[in-house]
Amino acid sequence: MNFFSRDKKTAFEAKDTAQWIAFGPVIFQVARVLRNSGILKVIEESGSAGLTNEEIAEKVSLSVYGVRVLLESGLGLGLVLVNDKRYTLGKTGHFILNDPLTNVNMDFIHDVNYKGLFYLDESIATGKPVGLKELGNWPTVYEGLSQLPKQTQKSWFDFDHFFSDDAYPKVLPLIYKNGVKKLLDIGGNTGKWAIASAKYSADISITIMDLPGQLDVAKQKIEQLGLTKRISFLPVNLLDETVKVPKGFDVIWMSQFLDCFSEEQIVSILKRCYEALDENGKMCIMEPFWDRQKYETAAFCLQQTSVYFTAVANGNSQMYSAEVFIKCIHEAGFDIVEEKDHIGLSQSLLTCKKRK
Ligand SMILES: C[S@@+](CC[C@H](N)C(=O)[O-])C[C@H]1O[C@@H](n2cnc3c(N)ncnc32)[C@H](O)[C@@H]1O
């Protein structure tokens, strides 16, 4: 489905959208503050009766002036409605307040990206994540993940897990079919997939390969669960081209991992996977591709997430289209033997084998 081949807006609608873009940061912050200050919540609780500006100000312990500025901006956004000076919740306000996807995206944008995005032009010009300096002094955000301030770290992990968590139960039976027993989880992060795998079947063993900071967190969790006999750890930086991928695995699994790298880096990692697998081995890649989405809003979320990689994460990667990504797989010497789209919220699963 190509959502992007035709301009669906009238000129009037397009000029309206252009104003939403021009005021984008204002709109974003107003919606966030209306949510975080409790204003949307007290309005929701008031139901169809609604509340006046003064009643809201009293309930959330803010000034009448402050609440008025927020509410009047919120009217323009459709977050709230006003009748006889009483404010009620609009449909968009309902989603800003209650929708898990919206909340995860909003917190990720505010806590991880907002300040860093100011440096987007420099990041595009240099190919470096210039905005990362707002979070800390690392070459990429991944080296800093385990040291991020608490709220920033929470928003990063909530965002990351939101898009893979609901896909895991659906892909576990697909990955562990036909007697797969030994799996290498590259970019296994805090061990969520490894733990889900160990719980899925008693005769599976998993090795997680990731940066040392992430593996320390994974190790702690896995020790607490008593799974250390089944799950082992390989701390590495795969940007170091001398780091090899170990042999002896039935499957190499990479979930939301390769989008952390440029196309050249992806090909380099995949070539190392090629060296590691034998002719029966499989490489399974789960990624959310923006050009494989069922809904335009899902494609939109992924297209906008790309900019985090540019300005904050590493300066050279993105949420890829399947078209660009699959070229890297072929270049590394693999054929795709199976493709499955629309898994969970947004994922696709590509099963690959070495080209004969
Ligand atoms: C977006 S997370 C994916 C987590 C998990 N696989 C999932 O499905 O949610 C990407 C992971 O890749 C790891 N990573 C990024 N750059 C890396 C590198 N240069 N070497 C090793 N691991 C890296 C990060 O530490 C992080 O755990």
Side-chain angles (χ1 to χ4, degrees):
M1 167 85 77
N2 182 357
F3 300 114
F4 305 104
S5 59
R6 199 168 62 75
D7 201 333
K8 288 160 276 188
K9 286 185 173 32
T10 64
F12 195 79
E13 287 164 348
K15 189 158 178 179
D16 181 63
T17 303
Q19 306 323 302
W20 281 76
I21 295 169
F23 282 96
V26 177
I27 290 171
F28 176 83
Q29 290 301 348
V30 165
R32 190 184 67 80
V33 176
L34 278 168
R35 182 196 68 173
N36 285 14
S37 61
I39 294 177
L40 293 181
K41 187 78 191 148
V42 296
I43 296 177
E44 181 186 57
E45 284 165 1
S46 74
S48 55
L51 291 170
T52 63
N53 186 344
E54 291 73 17
E55 286 166 343
I56 296 167
E58 197 182 331
K59 277 183 187 289
V60 299
S61 306
L62 289 171
S63 72
V64 170
Y65 157 76
V67 171
R68 185 171 65 229
V69 169
L70 291 169
L71 287 174
E72 290 176 0
S73 168
L75 284 175
L77 308 184
L79 298 182
V80 291
L81 306 164
V82 69
N83 286 288
D84 300 326
K85 301 196 172 158
R86 302 190 78 78
Y87 287 89
T88 51
L89 196 65
K91 285 189 194 125
T92 309
H94 165 83
F95 286 107
I96 291 287
L97 186 59
N98 299 306
D99 177 47
L101 170 69
T102 308
N103 280 306
V104 151
N105 283 337
M106 190 172 249
D107 291 342
F108 178 67
I109 292 301
H110 182 70
D111 295 327
V112 180
N113 293 287
Y114 200 83
K115 291 183 183 165
L117 284 170
F118 190 78
Y119 302 94
L120 179 61
D121 38 11
E122 267 185 72
S123 302
I124 295 276
T126 59
K128 303 253 180 288
V130 180
L132 181 56
K133 63 184 171 199
E134 291 289 343
L135 299 179
N137 191 21
W138 311 284
T140 74
V141 77
Y142 303 103
E143 277 102 331
L145 269 189
S146 54
Q147 301 155 51
L148 289 175
K150 230 178 166 148
Q151 181 57 41
T152 311
Q153 197 181 52
K154 178 178 183 314
S155 296
W156 191 95
F157 280 108
D158 285 353
F159 178 82
D160 182 69
H161 293 158
F162 193 81
F163 294 93
S164 46
D165 272 8
D166 78 324
Y168 284 172
K170 299 182 176 87
V171 288
L172 279 165
L174 306 178
I175 302 299
Y176 291 109
K177 62 184 183 189
N178 304 331
V180 167
K181 298 267 184 284
K182 281 191 75 183
L183 177 136
L184 178 65
D185 178 5
I186 308 187
N189 199 238
T190 53
K192 279 207 150 195
W193 169 265
I195 293 166
S197 300
K199 288 183 176 166
Y200 178 73
S201 169
D203 56 0
I204 292 170
S205 67
I206 307 108
T207 299
I208 314 177
M209 220 175 165
D210 206 306
L211 291 163
Q214 270 68 277
L215 287 188
D216 288 343
V217 180
K219 232 182 232 171
Q220 267 182 24
K221 259 208 250 169
I222 286 158
E223 274 166 15
Q224 279 163 13
L225 291 167
L227 290 170
T228 41
K229 287 212 174 80
R230 313 259 312 281
I231 302 175
S232 43
F233 306 92
L234 201 51
V236 290
N237 184 345
L238 275 148
L239 284 174
D240 175 352
E241 301 224 348
T242 63
V243 168
K244 292 203 164 116
V245 173
K247 293 177 191 282
F249 292 91
D250 303 322
V251 168
I252 296 177
W253 161 252
M254 290 173 274
S255 161
Q256 286 189 171
F257 169 69
L258 291 165
D259 50 57
C260 304
F261 301 95
S262 70
E263 286 156 80
E264 293 74 24
Q265 291 164 343
I266 293 174
V267 173
S268 155
I269 293 169
L270 294 185
K271 282 187 173 163
R272 285 177 267 163
C273 292
Y274 186 97
E275 293 304 318
L277 284 172
D278 66 24
E279 54 297 343
N280 298 318
K282 282 193 294 187
M283 180 175 79
C284 297
I285 298 173
M286 192 165 80
E287 278 291 332
F289 299 118
W290 68 258
D291 56 347
R292 292 276 177 102
Q293 299 303 309
K294 229 192 280 183
Y295 302 107
E296 190 171 342
T297 307
F300 175 86
C301 291
L302 293 169
Q303 291 164 333
Q304 308 321 313
T305 299
S306 274
V307 186
Y308 140 78
F309 289 99
T310 315
V312 177
N314 54 11
N316 61 7
S317 76
Q318 67 171 120
M319 299 313 313
Y320 286 96
S321 65
E323 194 188 343
V324 168
F325 193 92
I326 285 172
K327 273 193 209 135
C328 299
I329 295 180
H330 289 154
E331 199 181 325
F334 286 95
D335 283 331
I336 298 174
V337 294
E338 219 178 317
E339 294 186 35
K340 190 171 163 51
D341 296 326
H342 313 310
I343 305 170
L345 263 184
S346 52
Q347 306 284 348
S348 295
L349 178 66
L350 306 177
T351 305
C352 312
K353 290 195 101 177
K354 289 169 77 157
R355 194 176 305 130
K356 293 208 173 98

